[in-house]
């Protein structure tokens, strides 16, 4: 039903001008024939059969006025002159010529329209001269100037309005396409952001769970208490991973009325959650320390999330590739720059080639840093081990973010 209606609308829009012109042409023919049946003014002969044929031809030519305005005007004017030369009353066929002038004025350049207006005025004067005994030349001259001038002005204004409407329609279509492209781009960026968030959450928590599960299986026969502690860590880590995934995915569950399908989600992780993050890593077998050398500024939520995710991803790589070892997280400011570094010693399972492979984690960290005008470098250290360094332009405020230890305490072990 809708497809049929759309087809009818398109056909109607395509043929509507032709239907309008055919209706106008038939209307002019009918009006001219009716007017020709009346008694003409003195000096003009009644419309007979040849005059009716000329009247029909003058009107029917108007069907093609949109296709060839100048040619149609010239044809109708020639037939009108022939009609007048045969002695018929000029008013009978004056309207098609004026309509032709209107079409030329609306669709063609000004010089062409002025020539056509002059032709109409000249034919009007020619008709007055042909019946000079019964015509008032001042009246004829006034009509020869006013009628074409009025039609010319109206036609030019209508053409300008049509051109503005066309430009406005094109601009509207262009803006609509740009809005659709921006909406699609925003959707793609949001999907990439959610995918990056999910990667960080799943990679980190699954690394912790994998290590704890392996340790629990290894010590189960000899140390049930340690095995139980590992299982408790697995339960806590999996629960936290599910909570973070739920917080992100609840954004995607929107009902038809635009309301969120579920409870309000928690705020994004920030610097205040660094210590719980490090505690999980320490529980997985990596001794981690936190060093806050100077008082860093209070970070916006997005920048704080960037720092958290970079530290999380760096420590996840330590768990994956370095095995049981020691690591250090350092946060400091220098020359209005926030520098966050995550370093680790080379563990027993350390594999430099694997750590230096440009995987999705490093790419994601660099993308996060670019959003805030920062950068991420990663590579092996000269003294052994590996380092990930995040550099961000620090905000102007000197407030220290909540959740961090007081400055000047040196290495702070995570308890």
């Amino acid at each position: 039903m809708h497809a049929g209606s759309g087809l009818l609308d398109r056909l109607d829009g395509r043929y509507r001008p032709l239907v309008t012109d055919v209706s106008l042409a038939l209307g002019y023919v009918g009006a001219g024939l009716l007017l020709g049946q009346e008694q003409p003014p003195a000096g003009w002969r009644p419309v007979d059969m040849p005059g009716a044929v000329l009247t029909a031809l003058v009107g029917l030519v108007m069907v093609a006025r949109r296709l060839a305005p100048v040619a149609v005007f010239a044809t109708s004017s020639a037939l009108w002159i022939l009609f007048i030369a045969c002695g018929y009353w000029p008013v009978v066929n004056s309207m098609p010529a004026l309509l032709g002038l209107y079409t030329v004025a609306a669709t063609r350049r000004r010089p062409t329209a002025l020539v056509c207006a002059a032709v109409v005025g000249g034919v009007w004067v020619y008709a007055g001269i042909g019946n000079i005994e019964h015509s008032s030349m001042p009246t004829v001259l006034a009509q020869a100037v006013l009628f074409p001038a009025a039609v010319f002005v109206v036609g030019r204004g209508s053409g300008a309005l049509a051109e503005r409407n066309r430009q406005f329609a094109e601009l509207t279509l262009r803006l609509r396409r740009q809005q659709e492209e921006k909406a699609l781009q925003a959707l793609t960026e949001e999907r990439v952001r959610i995918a990056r968030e999910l990667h960080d959450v799943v990679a980190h928590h699954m690394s912790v769970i994998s290590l704890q599960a392996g340790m629990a299986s290894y010590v189960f026969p000899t140390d049930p208490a340690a095995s139980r502690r590992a299982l408790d860590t697995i339960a806590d880590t999996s629960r936290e991973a599910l909570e973070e995934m739920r917080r992100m995915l609840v954004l995607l569950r929107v009902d038809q009325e635009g309301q969120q399908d579920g409870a309000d989600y928690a705020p994004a992780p920030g610097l205040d959650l660094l210590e719980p993050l490090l505690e999980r890593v320490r529980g997985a077998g990596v001794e981690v320390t936190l060093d806050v050398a100077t008082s860093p500024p209070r970070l916006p939520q997005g920048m704080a999330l960037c720092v958290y995710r970079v530290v999380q991803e760096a420590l996840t790589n330590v768990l994956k590739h370095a095995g049981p070892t020691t690591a250090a997280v350092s946060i400091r400011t220098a020359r209005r720059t926030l520098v966050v570094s995550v370093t680790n010693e080379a563990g027993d399972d350390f594999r430099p080639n694997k750590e230096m492979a440009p995987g999705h984690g490093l790419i994601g960290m660099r993308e996060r840093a670019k959003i805030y005008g920062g950068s991420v470098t990663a590579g092996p250290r000269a003294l052994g081990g590996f380092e990930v360094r995040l550099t961000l332009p620090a905000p102007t405020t000197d407030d220290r973010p909540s959740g961090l230890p007081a400055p000047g305490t040196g290495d702070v072990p995570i308890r």
Side-chain angles (χ1 to χ4, degrees), residues 5 27 54 134 170 283 287 298 315 337 353 391 399:
S5 299
L54 288 175
H134 303 88
E170 291 180 355
E287 294 295 332
R298 183 174 297 276
L315 293 177
T337 301
N353 293 335
T391 304
D399 294 335

Side-chain angles (χ1 to χ4, degrees), residues 32-376:
L33 294 177
L34 289 177
L35 187 59
Q37 298 300 318
E38 297 182 2
Q39 183 64 32
W44 302 108
R45 55 183 288 194
V47 176
D48 50 13
M49 183 56 66
V53 172
L54 288 175
T55 300
L57 292 176
V58 172
L60 292 177
V61 169
M62 291 294 104
V63 174
R65 70 183 184 94
R66 297 177 192 264
L67 300 177
V70 177
V72 168
F73 172 81
T75 303
S76 63
S77 298
L79 293 173
W80 188 29
I81 294 174
L82 178 60
F83 184 81
I84 296 172
C86 292
Y88 300 112
W89 187 25
V91 176
V92 173
N93 284 322
S94 61
M95 291 305 295
L98 293 175
L99 177 62
L101 172 60
Y102 168 85
T103 306
V104 172
T107 59
R108 294 297 183 265
R109 301 180 63 179
R110 184 186 299 271
T112 304
L114 287 175
V115 171
C116 293
V119 169
V120 173
V123 173
W124 207 274
V125 173
Y126 165 72
I129 295 176
N131 193 19
I132 191 65
E133 297 86 358
H134 303 88
S135 300
S136 173
M137 286 309 298
T139 303
V140 170
L141 292 176
Q143 293 175 346
V145 173
L146 293 178
F147 290 171
V151 174
F152 174 84
V153 172
V154 173
R156 296 300 297 176
S158 177
L161 179 61
E163 178 63 20
R164 285 195 297 269
N165 290 338
R166 185 188 63 80
Q167 294 177 355
F168 180 75
E170 291 180 355
L171 178 61
T172 302
L173 180 60
R174 191 180 303 115
L175 291 176
R176 184 181 296 112
R177 290 177 178 174
Q178 291 178 355
Q179 290 176 353
E180 293 175 354
E181 292 175 357
K182 289 182 179 179
L184 181 60
Q185 181 181 1
L187 178 61
T188 303
E189 292 176 353
E190 183 64 14
R191 288 176 176 175
V192 171
R193 185 189 69 81
I194 293 176
R196 187 165 53 232
E197 294 287 332
L198 288 176
H199 169 270
D200 294 342
V201 171
V202 173
H204 171 74
H205 290 84
M206 291 305 297
S207 297
V208 175
I209 291 174
S210 176
L211 290 175
Q212 291 292 327
M215 185 184 70
S217 176
Y218 180 76
V219 302
F220 182 77
T222 58
D223 192 351
S227 178
R228 179 176 295 277
R229 288 194 298 271
L231 292 176
D232 291 339
T233 301
I234 290 175
D236 294 338
T237 303
S238 60
R239 188 181 304 109
E240 182 176 348
L242 290 175
E243 285 297 323
E244 282 206 53
M245 293 176 65
R246 175 185 175 277
R247 177 186 60 80
M248 289 182 291
L249 296 180
V250 74
L251 294 173
L252 304 179
R253 296 196 298 268
V254 181
D255 60 21
Q256 295 180 354
E257 296 181 358
Q259 302 295 329
Q260 292 175 354
D261 182 18
D264 294 338
Y265 52 88
L271 299 185
D272 54 335
L273 296 182
L274 275 181
E275 290 195 15
L277 169 66
L278 301 185
E279 287 178 358
R280 282 197 308 274
V281 175
R282 188 170 182 268
V286 177
E287 294 295 332
V288 187
T289 59
L290 176 63
D291 179 18
V292 183
T294 57
S295 179
R298 183 174 297 276
L299 301 179
Q301 181 178 0
M303 190 176 292
L305 176 61
C306 174
V307 173
Y308 180 89
R309 292 304 187 197
V310 168
V311 173
Q312 183 185 55
E313 180 66 27
L315 293 177
T316 300
N317 289 336
V318 174
L319 291 173
K320 288 182 179 179
H321 307 300
T325 183
T326 59
V329 178
S330 172
I331 301 178
R332 64 188 66 199
T333 54
R335 297 180 180 178
R336 295 186 178 181
T337 301
L338 179 68
V339 180
V340 181
S341 64
V342 180
T343 59
N344 66 274
E345 301 294 335
D348 296 336
D349 297 332
F350 177 66
R351 286 171 286 177
N353 293 335
K354 187 174 181 181
E355 272 202 321
M356 292 186 65
H360 295 289
L362 182 57
I363 295 175
M365 286 190 285
R366 287 173 174 168
E367 288 180 353
R368 289 181 182 277
K370 286 181 180 180
I371 295 176
Y372 303 99
S375 61
V376 171

